[in-house]
Structures are given as C-alpha cells and as structure tokens.
C-alpha cells in the first residue's frame, strides 16, 4: 500500500476514517473504501473523479460525517485501489462494477443513500444508473462538474476555436504519457489554468495538485483514453432518482454546457447550480456550496423523519423541494463568491 503525498495542514488534510474495508469488484479488482461518521446514520456515498482519490472529498467528509455515515472509495487505479494490469480493465463498465461492489459491501439490502459524484465519479453514476444493485440504494444523486459525451471536443483547455485541430491537441494533452513529477510552483500554475478558476486560493490549488500528481502515470493516460471515447448519453434516461447538477461557469475540462444539457435531459432533475468563477474542481474550489448541496439532498431523501423539524414535512409538500433547495444553494454560492472576491482584493 503506497503512502499518498497529501497536504498535511489546513481543511484539505484527509480525515482519518472510522474504519476501512476492501470491496471486491466483478473482475476481482480490490477497491479501497473508507467509512466516516456514526455507524447507523443515513448514508452518503462520494465518488471522486479522474486522477483524484478519497482525499479530494476531505472538506465534505469533515463537514458531513458529524451527521451522516459518509462512504468514500478510490476508483480503480487511484489512491489505494488496485490498478488493472491490462487496458481492458479500464472501462465505464468496470467503474459501474466497482460502484456496485462498494454499495453491496457497505449498505444493508435496500438501504437508501445519496450518491455524489465528481467528474469521472459522476460518469460512474451514469454508467451504473440502470443496474438493479445500484438502483436499490439510490435515494438521490448529485452530479458535479461532469458530462456524458463529447468531452474532448467541447473541452476549452486549449484556447482555440472549436474544431478538429483543438480536439486533436486536447486529446494529446489530456492523454499525455509523460509523468507529472513533483508539485512545483509552475506545476501548480498549469493545474490552476486547466482545472480551476483564476481566483482559487493557493492552499486549494496545492491540495488539488498533490492529489492529481499522486495518480500513477499509466492510470492517468489509460483513463484519459476512456474519457476521450465516452458515450453515456443513454445512461441519463436510466437515472430516474432525484438528481441535482452542479458546475462551475469557468470549467475548462467539462464546460457548463454539459451541466445544462444534463439538467434538461434527466428524468427527475431537482435543480442546476452554476457557481460563477469556479472551475472544474468544485468540491475543493467551492467546498461549502458542494457540501450544502449534498446535505440538502440527504436531508430531503435519506434523513430519518424524526430528525426533521416540526412542520417541515408539511412545508416540503407545499413547496417544490428542488426549487427551494436550489434557491438556498444559489444564495450560499453567492456568499462564497463574495468571500472569494474579498480574498482576491486583500
């Protein structure tokens, strides 16, 4: 088990899990799982994205585990999970297999949970949406900074007009086999440009950089190949549980057009949140907004009725829950943006 070089101070230090376990996927791959929070509390499952690990969710785990049982796992090849030896082990089907194994290992039969995925983690939720073993546990879903197809063609990492040249250059950059090397000031600037908003504070950029640079080179480029050919549009209609969508308006990897398309196509969308000035790494760039959105879904769809305030159930029947929660998230996102502008002017 390799030691992961995460930040060692501040809010992005990975919390120590209450316990750890290994889920075994359909092809025998061993998936590292961490569980935080009260043992019998309602469940939230967090699925990180390409080149990341459970450490990516540090802020959400720390905030949510006071109330919820928070389950996070490393996608195959990432963090402490097994890396497939053959290219065939890298596929959206394998991602769905892994999620199904994790849910079976951590939840009781039929136990509901809120599933939150970022980037490739959200694509995992789309890939697994039609599986009975996932549906039985899916109370609600949050799709953060993601898309279902045309990822390379619509990426704006390369500052050129959309077209074949930009697509080819983007494919080469994202699928490069060169090692990323140690985290340096130059490397952090490159990462910020490609994946974060220009106003992201240094501590958030460093937290992302240390996580991304820890991803093995082979794992990074093999998953890049899968993402380059991604086509999960059919999975959108399979996701029938209440689903919220969240994205940053300056996301270059999965531009906000993807989020808007998802929100229009989902059978039961309960709101689209757009975070102004935020890039692709939303859980680290705007941790409060992402945490609040997950908590609102958990309170609405998995929290025990006894835990709700008197009269809350009556108010929810009168008022469309998606709209009310969306208004709240927008207000909190605006607060976050105001704090970010204050930091930039300091």
């Amino acid at each position: 088990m390799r030691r992961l070089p995460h930040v060692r101070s501040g809010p992005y230090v990975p919390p120590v899990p209450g316990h750890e376990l290994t889920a075994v996927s359909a092809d025998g791959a061993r998936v590292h799982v961490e569980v935080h929070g009260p043992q019998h509390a309602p469940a939230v499952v967090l699925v990180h994205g390409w080149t990341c690990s459970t450490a990516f969710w540090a802020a959400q785990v720390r905030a949510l585990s006071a109330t919820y049982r928070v389950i996070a796992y490393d996608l195959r090849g990432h963090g402490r999970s097994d890396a497939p030896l053959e290219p065939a082990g890298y596929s959206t089907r394998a991602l769905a297999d892994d999620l199904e194994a994790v849910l079976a290992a951590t939840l009781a039969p039929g136990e509901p949970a809120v599933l939150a995925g970022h980037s490739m983690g959200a694509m995992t939720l789309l890939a697994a949406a039609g599986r009975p073993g996932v549906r039985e546990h899916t109370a609600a879903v949050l799709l953060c900074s993601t898309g279902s197809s045309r990822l390379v063609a619509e990426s704006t990492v390369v500052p050129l007009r959309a077209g074949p040249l930009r697509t080819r250059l983007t494919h080469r950059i994202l699928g490069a086999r060169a090692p990323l090397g140690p985290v340096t000031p130059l490397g952090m600037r490159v990462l910020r440009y490609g994946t974060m908003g220009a106003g992201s504070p240094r501590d958030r950029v460093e937290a992302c950089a240390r996580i991304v640079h820890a991803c093995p080179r082979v794992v990074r480029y093999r998953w890049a190949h899968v993402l380059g050919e991604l086509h999960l549009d059919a999975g959108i209609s399979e996701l029938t549980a209440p689903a919220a969508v969240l994205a940053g308006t300056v996301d270059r990897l999965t531009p906000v057009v993807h989020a808007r398309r998802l929100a229009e196509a989902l059978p039961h969308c309960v709101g689209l949140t757009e975070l102004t000035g935020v890039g692709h790494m939303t859980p680290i760039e705007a941790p409060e907004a992402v945490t609040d959105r997950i908590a609102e879904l958990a309170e609405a769809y998995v929290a025990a009725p006894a835990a709700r305030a008197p009269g809350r159930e009556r108010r929810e029947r009168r008022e469309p829950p998606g709209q009310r929660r969306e208004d709240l998230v927008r207000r909190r996102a605006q607060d976050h943006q105001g704090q970010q502008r204050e930091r930039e002017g300091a």
Side-chain angles (χ1 to χ4, degrees):
M1 184 177 293
R2 59 185 179 274
R3 186 169 177 269
L4 303 177
H6 303 133
V7 293
R8 299 183 182 181
S9 63
Y12 303 104
V13 175
V16 177
H19 70 277
E20 300 171 293
L21 58 105
T22 299
V24 181
S25 194
D27 63 355
R30 295 166 59 84
V31 179
H32 174 73
V33 186
E34 300 175 359
V35 183
H36 305 256
Q39 182 178 359
H40 300 295
V44 170
V45 180
L46 305 177
V47 193
H48 69 77
W50 177 50
T51 72
C52 294
S53 67
T54 58
F56 190 74
W57 296 107
Q60 285 72 40
V61 169
R62 191 168 280 110
L64 293 168
S65 59
T67 305
Y68 299 99
R69 178 160 46 99
V70 181
I71 300 159
Y73 71 96
D74 289 321
L75 296 180
R76 58 173 53 206
H78 298 75
R80 297 177 182 177
S81 292
D82 284 353
L85 298 178
E86 301 296 331
Y90 296 84
S91 68
T92 55
R93 179 176 181 177
L95 292 176
D97 287 341
D98 296 351
L99 174 62
E100 198 165 17
V102 169
L103 297 181
T106 57
L107 301 176
E111 180 182 0
V114 169
L115 311 184
H118 171 263
S119 191
M120 194 166 80
M123 297 166 199
T124 300
L125 303 184
L126 291 175
R131 297 196 177 195
V134 173
R135 281 189 167 185
E136 71 167 306
H137 296 295
T138 305
V141 166
L142 177 62
L143 305 174
C144 288
S145 309
T146 196
S148 58
S149 62
R150 293 182 53 80
L151 301 184
V152 175
E154 294 185 342
S155 168
T156 58
V157 169
V158 176
L160 296 176
R161 181 178 298 178
L165 176 60
R166 190 182 76 176
T167 299
R168 286 197 302 272
L169 291 175
T170 303
H171 185 65
R172 289 179 184 177
I173 291 170
L174 298 182
R177 299 193 177 203
L180 295 180
V183 175
T184 64
L186 176 60
M188 289 171 59
R189 286 197 297 272
V190 171
L191 182 84
R192 174 187 276 161
Y193 167 78
T195 68
M196 305 178 78
S200 296
R202 179 184 171 84
D203 64 334
R204 301 183 188 191
V205 179
E206 182 180 359
C208 280
R210 292 194 177 278
I211 293 168
V212 170
H213 282 235
C215 182
R217 177 179 62 91
V218 172
V219 170
R220 189 183 76 244
Y221 76 70
R222 284 186 172 167
W223 278 121
H225 179 74
V226 173
L227 296 176
E229 299 181 352
L230 189 76
H231 193 79
L232 291 174
D233 294 345
I236 300 174
S237 61
E238 299 273 3
L239 186 52
T240 56
V245 183
L246 181 147
T249 61
V250 295
D251 186 341
R252 291 186 173 95
L253 285 179
T254 54
V256 71
V257 62
H258 289 286
R260 294 167 183 166
R261 192 178 299 143
L262 283 170
E264 290 178 359
L266 284 165
H268 189 181
C269 181
V270 293
L272 166 63
T273 303
E274 297 183 12
L275 301 176
T276 303
V278 175
H280 184 70
M281 300 300 207
T282 43
I284 287 183
E285 288 185 80
E288 298 88 356
V290 174
T291 298
D292 286 349
R293 198 61 172 124
I294 296 171
E296 288 154 6
L297 291 170
E299 184 180 1
Y301 297 106
V302 299
R308 297 184 178 180
R312 183 177 185 86
E313 187 175 352
R314 291 192 298 273
R315 288 197 304 272
E316 287 180 350
R317 279 199 294 263
R318 287 198 309 267
E319 192 173 2
Q323 182 61 52
R324 181 172 54 80
R325 286 188 295 274
E326 180 62 21
D327 291 342
L328 179 59
V329 170
R330 286 190 183 279
R331 289 197 299 271
R332 288 172 174 166
Q334 290 169 356
D335 292 342
H336 160 76
Q337 291 154 16
Q339 293 167 4
Q340 188 177 50
R341 286 193 292 270
E342 289 176 5
R343 285 194 299 268
E344 293 171 9

